[in-house]
Amino acid sequence: MNVEFINPFLSSLMNVLSTMAQTQLKPGKPMMKKSEVAKGDVSGLIGMVGPQTKGSLSISFDEELSLTIMERMLGERPDAINEEVTDMVGEITNMVAGGAKNLLGEKGYEFDMATPVVVSGKGHTITHKCDGPKVLMPFSCDAGAAHIEVCFDKL
């Protein structure tokens, strides 16, 4: 998979969390993901379709990180992942995909985005609706870990 296509998603995630939640993510080492089990406790998944390719993006957060982001964005911290937290994760997923869409549009890649779906719970699964490789990028910060998955049919 083309790194030029993946990097806009990574930089968009770091930008959204730094701007909206004063949270600085440190990128880890990218790897290929073989299973469908999510690396976090709550995940947003969004599909993207364009003339050149189709694919999807997911962002998974540890519970602790999702609660901290909620607190930093809205000033209140829930005791556990609830409907407000899942709504926030969906919105973050949408903002990250939108930011990447803008960056990729400058390079000639166009795609439309679906409405994000959010799944939570220990050991939940993420099913990408495309045949390409799944690139997994871990991030860490003071409040826990986040993982981004990007999967596209062809590039």
Side-chain angles (χ1 to χ4, degrees):
M1 183 172 302
N2 189 342
V3 171
E4 182 179 284
F5 203 81
I6 301 240
N7 284 341
F9 293 96
L10 309 181
S11 61
S12 182
L13 174 63
M14 292 183 353
N15 180 48
V16 166
L17 287 186
S18 136
T19 305
M20 303 297 291
Q22 298 75 49
T23 301
Q24 305 304 318
L25 293 178
K26 292 185 214 81
K29 186 176 179 225
M31 61 191 87
M32 302 311 286
K33 185 173 181 229
K34 302 292 184 211
S35 80
E36 293 189 345
V37 177
K39 296 287 185 184
D41 301 312
V42 57
S43 302
L45 174 67
I46 190 166
M48 298 165 280
V49 177
Q52 297 103 327
T53 188
K54 73 173 184 174
S56 54
L57 158 77
S58 76
I59 307 169
S60 297
F61 297 96
D62 288 351
E63 180 175 16
E64 178 66 22
L65 178 55
S66 69
L67 300 178
T68 299
I69 291 169
M70 183 81 167
E71 182 178 27
R72 290 176 180 172
M73 286 177 73
L74 301 176
E76 46 188 78
R77 183 184 185 87
D79 295 329
I81 294 170
N82 60 20
E83 189 176 340
E84 282 92 17
V85 174
T86 59
D87 287 350
M88 176 199 69
V89 168
E91 191 52 42
I92 289 171
T93 304
N94 206 31
M95 288 189 282
V96 169
K101 179 180 178 172
N102 290 340
L103 293 169
L104 288 166
E106 295 169 7
K107 298 178 182 188
Y109 293 103
E110 298 295 327
F111 56 84
D112 292 321
M113 303 181 323
T115 302
V117 174
V118 179
V119 185
S120 65
K122 304 267 184 224
H124 68 272
T125 58
I126 299 170
T127 305
H128 293 275
K129 303 286 189 213
C130 55
D131 299 326
K134 291 181 278 196
V135 176
L136 174 69
M137 181 72 177
F139 290 90
S140 61
C141 71
D142 59 340
H147 293 82
I148 194 167
E149 295 176 26
V150 182
C151 180
F152 282 92
D153 276 349
K154 61 181 187 290
L155 286 174

